[in-house]
Amino acid sequence: MQASAQHEGIAANGNAKLGEVMQAIADHKGCGTSGGSGKASCGSGAGQGDLPTEIWEKVKNHPCYSEEAHHHYARMHVAVAPACNIQCNYCNRKYDCANESRPGVVSEKLTPEQAAKKVLAVASTIPQMTVLGIAGPGDPLANPEKTFKTFELIAKAAPDIKLCLSTNGLTLPDHVDTIAGFNVDHVTITINMVDPEIGAKIYPWVFWKHKRYTGVEAAKLLTDRQLLGLEMLTERGILCKVNSVMIPGVNDKHLVEVNKAVKSRGAFLHNIMPLISAPEHGTVFGLNGQRGPTAQELKALQDSCEGEMNMMRHCRQCRADAVGLLGEDRSAEFTTDKIMEMEVNYDLESRKAYQEKVEEERVAKVAAKQEELSALAGEMSDIKLLVAVATKGSGLINEHFGHAKEFQVYELSTAGAKFVGHRRVDLYCQGGFGDEESLETVIRAINDCHAVFVAKIGGCPKADLQKAGIEPVDQYAHEFIEKSAIAWFKSYLDKVNSGEIEHVERGDAEIRQGALITAA
Ligand code: CLF
Ligand code: SF4
């Protein structure tokens, strides 16, 4: 609250700018491909499209708001918010917030001052780190003093870093002016339902104004506050993303309705994430056997909502102290002990120079993709298929099969290559030898894919993948992903057309639920 008063001046200036941006969002009527669906979210895909420049400027280097940016830019979280004011059945307070984190990983909690130091240390080491998010391990707005103090310190010390916030939304309406005052341009609200009857199956209680509410009453209070907060934010031109956890049999069908409700209130992006639920997490859902969705169930729901608004499909359900590109986690390099010993050299100019190089790389990538796409022009085929890609970032096929901790998944069709998700896997290579058990989990994770693109692969896994009907492709090592995928797809279509191969549909794949198994 104190912070809010201190920043009234900023709020007034900020709101004038935000008002213009809001108008731009309102004026933006979709990508020109969706028949005027009003989807204001092309920025989450590749390139600016017809997104207004002022919005593009906000999303173009935010790894969560732009799928294309997530190959190049990193985010970091600081775990300054330990308390929570609601209980979700998929969360165990011993672990990070499951809304914005992978359950099963305990964070180091920081004071705002430690957090500011950490941000400078990371910004000096990782010049492509552009966004600071506060996402737990509890709810940032259940810890408003710590959250806003952190934003205040970082805005002063590292003015080029975007501020981002993720909340369950219960107290959001009380903090909207403060959020705007700190120029927090990106807010995520986790909204799992707009029907309190369904909400009662997800939330056993909420704690509001010194009182505990349970059942339908609790869920009604929560949904009303979430939707009000969303409306208030979008009125001020703050870009809002809605996260929803897909819980089969509980809210899976209902999420289409949630999608409509949040779109009509101006949400910019909808991120439907799979429930991660295993008994070892100690959550209500984990213990009562509630399953998460399969890969194809998740994709089908995301596809069905995509006509309404753009879907985020590259979320990694990060931990509350995550650092790095979305698919990697460098948090272990930045523990408090290590930060204290680090030489911090936060230099705006060198960060800018590095990011300019990244932009050049992005332009080259888009040009390569366009060139390859023109080779597909005139191809007539209904075939759509998935391929998995091993990458360390920069939009390149630059990871060995055995070193991949995740695979990115692209859908290929005559329209081109579209990012549709990722699959986390256990490392196949365990310090010099291949782990057969891990290979089985990798195959289950990408079982719906026709091919897997890698920088390199050994003979054994190659043979096993082929046996499972997944073609290992290493001929495009260190080349751009989309360009290579399109080139491979063209040759696949040629082989189908000539009768050399027959196109067969693949089955479903598993989304991993348990703790990661990695080499020490
Ligand atoms: Fe963090 Fe969230 Fe901001 Fe991103 S994460 S607060 S919007 S900077 Fe991103 Fe991580 Fe998914 Fe969140 S991948 S869990 S959506
Ligand atoms: Fe856990 Fe986050 Fe839900 Fe709170 S809002 S119970 S921290 S998942």
Side-chain angles (χ1 to χ4, degrees):
M1 292 301 102
Q2 219 179 13
S4 169
Q6 279 168 6
H7 284 261
E8 265 171 15
I10 299 174
N13 294 337
N15 281 343
K17 262 194 287 159
L18 293 170
E20 288 163 25
V21 171
M22 188 53 201
Q23 191 54 48
I25 295 177
D27 292 345
H28 177 246
K29 296 289 182 226
C31 305
T33 54
S34 55
S37 69
K39 103 177 161 173
S41 47
C42 315
S44 67
Q48 180 172 353
D50 67 350
L51 207 57
T53 300
E54 53 274 46
I55 300 172
W56 174 239
E57 285 302 317
K58 283 174 187 253
V59 302
K60 72 173 189 191
N61 62 359
H62 191 310
C64 303
Y65 281 69
S66 160
E67 186 278 307
E68 209 252 322
H70 102 281
H71 300 281
H72 306 278
Y73 290 102
R75 55 76 185 97
M76 70 175 291
H77 289 164
V78 284
V80 294
C84 194
N85 45 11
I86 71 173
Q87 179 64 59
C88 306
N89 279 337
Y90 49 75
C91 177
N92 178 345
R93 294 279 159 71
K94 279 193 283 181
Y95 301 114
D96 287 356
C97 172
N99 288 335
E100 287 283 347
S101 61
R102 171 164 56 84
V105 181
V106 180
S107 309
E108 197 181 32
K109 289 168 196 122
L110 302 178
T111 64
E113 290 72 21
Q114 287 170 324
K117 172 121 207 233
K118 182 172 179 176
V119 171
L120 291 183
V122 173
S124 311
T125 316
I126 309 178
Q128 68 273 41
M129 190 279 286
T130 48
V131 179
L132 177 271
I134 301 185
D139 186 73
L141 297 181
N143 305 259
E145 290 82 13
K146 287 179 185 154
T147 295
F148 292 119
K149 181 72 192 169
T150 305
F151 282 147
E152 183 187 356
L153 293 174
I154 289 162
K156 266 192 212 139
D160 67 326
I161 291 175
K162 284 183 173 28
L163 303 177
C164 194
L165 176 73
S166 170
T167 176
N168 62 39
L170 181 65
T171 64
L172 180 58
D174 307 332
H175 297 291
V176 165
D177 288 336
T178 315
I179 290 169
F182 280 102
N183 286 333
V184 176
D185 271 348
H186 303 82
V187 174
T188 295
I189 314 168
T190 298
I191 301 181
N192 295 319
M193 53 85 208
V194 289
D195 175 348
E197 296 286 339
I198 293 173
K201 297 179 191 158
I202 303 170
Y203 305 102
W205 56 260
V206 311
F207 191 79
W208 192 57
K209 292 202 171 164
H210 314 292
K211 192 174 161 201
R212 184 180 288 246
Y213 296 80
T214 58
V216 173
E217 194 187 12
K220 168 96 173 69
L221 178 61
L222 182 62
T223 181
D224 287 350
R225 302 280 296 166
Q226 289 174 330
L227 295 179
L228 174 63
L230 173 61
E231 276 172 8
M232 290 171 73
L233 286 170
T234 57
E235 269 164 20
R236 284 163 176 76
I238 294 172
L239 292 188
C240 292
K241 171 165 72 63
V242 169
N243 282 359
S244 302
V245 181
M246 179 182 179
I247 311 162
V250 176
N251 72 346
D252 48 346
K253 297 195 169 61
H254 176 61
L255 285 179
V256 175
E257 213 177 302
V258 171
N259 179 267
K260 289 190 177 122
V262 301
K263 182 202 163 196
S264 70
R265 288 168 175 83
F268 181 77
L269 200 57
H270 193 186
N271 171 24
I272 299 181
M273 311 178 288
L275 171 73
I276 303 289
S277 169
E280 65 264 31
H281 299 151
T283 61
V284 171
F285 283 151
L287 293 171
N288 74 12
Q290 171 64 53
R291 73 172 180 93
T294 66
Q296 287 303 304
E297 285 170 341
L298 177 66
K299 183 174 178 296
L301 178 58
Q302 290 169 331
D303 286 350
S304 72
C305 290
E306 195 162 51
E308 296 297 320
M309 67 188 288
N310 222 41
M311 305 301 294
M312 177 182 187
R313 298 175 190 245
H314 59 284
C315 175
R316 302 304 199 277
Q317 292 166 277
C318 322
R319 37 189 280 173
D321 59 359
V323 175
L325 293 172
L326 295 192
E328 67 177 6
D329 187 3
R330 296 178 61 178
S331 54
E333 290 172 44
F334 300 96
T335 58
T336 306
D337 289 351
K338 287 180 184 160
I339 290 164
M340 291 307 160
E341 286 167 16
M342 278 173 78
E343 199 181 315
V344 172
N345 177 24
Y346 172 75
D347 176 11
L348 260 179
E349 282 312 306
S350 61
R351 281 176 54 78
K352 210 170 133 209
Y354 187 93
Q355 290 176 21
E356 275 164 12
K357 280 216 187 92
V358 171
E359 287 307 309
E360 282 170 22
E361 198 176 76
R362 280 174 87 169
V363 171
K365 195 180 84 173
V366 171
K369 178 181 157 184
Q370 289 306 341
E371 198 185 306
E372 207 58 56
L373 257 181
S374 59
L376 270 180
E379 285 284 353
M380 303 284 281
S381 172
D382 292 336
I383 292 177
K384 263 190 186 177
L385 55 82
L386 301 181
V387 296
V389 180
T391 174
K392 285 196 271 211
S394 302
L396 297 167
I397 302 164
N398 54 4
E399 184 63 289
H400 291 204
F401 177 82
H403 298 168
K405 290 188 210 142
E406 68 163 37
F407 290 90
Q408 297 190 352
V409 177
Y410 286 77
E411 186 171 69
L412 308 183
S413 69
T414 51
K418 174 180 164 192
F419 180 100
V420 290
H422 65 94
R423 308 284 162 73
R424 206 173 274 173
V425 296
D426 296 328
L427 271 186
Y428 169 67
C429 181
Q430 300 283 338
F433 63 92
D435 178 348
E436 283 311 306
E437 222 171 281
S438 301
L439 183 58
E440 280 172 29
T441 67
V442 175
I443 290 175
R444 284 204 295 272
I446 59 171
N447 186 51
D448 50 355
C449 296
H450 277 75
V452 56
F453 289 62
V454 296
K456 206 170 176 186
I457 185 167
C460 288
K462 210 174 196 173
D464 284 1
L465 282 162
Q466 279 162 340
K467 215 159 86 195
I470 303 166
E471 182 187 338
V473 180
D474 56 5
Q475 78 198 71
Y476 302 104
H478 302 285
E479 292 185 28
F480 289 124
I481 296 170
E482 286 156 309
K483 171 184 186 284
S484 307
I486 292 168
W488 176 87
F489 184 63
K490 168 105 178 64
S491 72
Y492 182 89
L493 287 184
D494 289 347
K495 286 184 207 160
V496 172
N497 292 339
S498 69
E500 187 184 335
I501 57 170
E502 191 191 345
H503 175 68
V504 283
E505 298 289 333
R506 301 280 308 162
D508 205 344
E510 264 179 25
I511 293 175
R512 99 183 304 303
Q513 301 290 315
L516 272 185
I517 304 164
T518 54

